[in-house]
Amino acid sequence: MSVVIRLFQVADRQAVRKICADSADMGKPAERIFPDRELLADMMISYYTDFEPQSLWIAEVEGEVVGYLSGCLNSRRFLRVMIWRIAPGILFQALIRGIFLKKQVQRFLIAMLKSFKLGGFKRSIPFDKYPAHLHIDIREGFRGQGIGQGLMEKFFAQAKNAGIPGIYLTTRQDNTACRFFERTGFSIAARYPLVIPEGDNFQVIHSVLYVKEL
Ligand SMILES: CC(C)(COP(=O)(O)OP(=O)(O)OC[C@H]1O[C@@H](n2cnc3c(N)ncnc32)[C@H](O)[C@@H]1OP(=O)(O)O)[C@@H](O)C(=O)NCCC(=O)NCCS
């Protein structure tokens, strides 16, 4: 299998959004956690495709996009763009599509509120030390073949060349990808309580903040 790793082009946008929605639930399709794939992709990937495509790396096999690493070199800018440019559009779309009337979304929001009450969002990420962050997803059927590692190496080199001192990422503690992040040099800096809907109940698990110095 010959894998090409290259920067994102506008023509990749739909393929990247599809992989994002197909992998959103720890590598499984989004539908178990959120009912609207387009809105979910807007939340999770539109910053990277539309505002920082120069840090979005694509893995391609025989002309097909099979994975991506969406990087960001300036997480303060990311937060500003998310709050002022992306979130208002998502909220508007959510309202006109009646998203808040769906039981699954109401439970998702209740879980977020419970996480907030437990201090799950009191994250003090030291942006001076770790200004960059990333997300990574490989399509099912192409995992475990070195593609994730290849994407990571491209982004690490890009960030290092840009003089970035460190990178962070967050994931769920029960995600098997934790092993991958440890293999690629990340270590755990903090854990935060995270409440998730589970059947008719809620379950408290943890999210993990991983960091890596360059
Ligand atoms: C996690 C993921 C990005 C890893 O990419 P990949 O191409 O499958 O990983 P690689 O083949 O490059 O593996 C690199 C190393 O990590 C290890 N590894 C990768 N995925 C692993 C997993 N799920 N569990 C345990 N180890 C894993 C590999 O064994 C390999 O170790 P080795 O060098 O000792 O052989 C990919 O499997 C994926 O997209 N998973 C689903 C989505 C996801 O969970 N994304 C992260 C969300 S935060």
Side-chain angles (χ1 to χ4, degrees):
M1 185 176 73
S2 131
V3 182
V4 176
I5 295 188
R6 58 163 175 83
L7 279 172
F8 171 83
Q9 296 160 3
V10 178
D12 302 321
R13 194 171 186 275
Q14 266 317 107
V16 166
R17 287 173 67 86
K18 181 168 178 358
I19 296 174
C20 174
D22 282 344
S23 318
D25 182 15
M26 294 196 299
K28 297 262 174 276
E31 282 72 9
R32 206 176 71 100
I33 53 169
F34 199 79
D36 189 312
R37 292 168 70 84
E38 288 304 314
L39 267 188
L40 185 106
D42 286 344
M43 284 187 268
M44 294 182 72
I45 199 79
S46 61
Y47 169 81
Y48 309 93
T49 53
D50 304 352
F51 292 89
E52 197 174 336
Q54 67 277 17
S55 309
L56 175 46
W57 291 92
I58 297 295
E60 189 184 276
V61 172
E62 288 169 14
E64 245 190 275
V65 178
V66 300
Y68 66 84
L69 182 156
S70 51
C72 164
L73 297 182
N74 182 344
S75 299
R76 285 198 176 100
R77 173 180 186 258
F78 164 81
L79 284 179
R80 276 198 308 275
V81 172
M82 282 303 288
I83 292 169
W84 299 109
R85 306 280 302 273
I86 297 179
I90 291 175
L91 187 60
F92 178 72
Q93 283 297 323
L95 287 171
I96 59 173
R97 285 149 89 154
I99 280 290
F100 296 116
L101 301 175
K102 298 194 192 245
K103 191 166 174 237
Q104 193 185 20
V105 173
Q106 291 167 359
R107 287 178 55 71
F108 183 82
L109 292 174
I110 293 170
M112 278 179 71
L113 196 64
K114 286 178 182 285
S115 298
F116 179 79
K117 281 190 184 155
L118 289 178
F121 294 111
K122 269 196 199 144
R123 299 177 182 187
S124 50
I125 299 168
F127 283 151
D128 290 333
K129 214 169 162 194
Y130 305 105
H133 72 259
L134 68 86
H135 302 278
I136 183 165
D137 283 313
I138 312 295
R139 238 167 72 184
E140 214 164 1
F142 293 89
R143 296 174 189 159
Q145 300 177 59
I147 296 177
Q149 172 91 44
L151 285 165
M152 286 293 214
E153 281 163 13
K154 287 284 185 192
F155 183 58
F156 295 164
Q158 178 184 32
K160 204 169 176 165
N161 283 340
I164 299 292
I167 305 175
Y168 77 86
L169 63 88
T170 53
T171 189
R172 276 169 55 163
Q173 192 168 19
D174 56 343
N175 191 346
T176 60
C178 289
R179 173 91 189 97
F180 168 74
F181 296 129
E182 285 155 24
R183 291 283 303 141
T184 50
F186 284 85
S187 51
I188 295 178
R191 287 187 176 82
Y192 305 98
L194 176 70
V195 180
I196 54 164
E198 196 57 67
D200 287 338
N201 295 313
F202 292 95
Q203 190 190 349
V204 184
I205 59 167
H206 284 85
S207 63
V208 197
L209 170 67
Y210 274 105
V211 294
K212 176 185 170 82
E213 276 154 41
L214 292 173

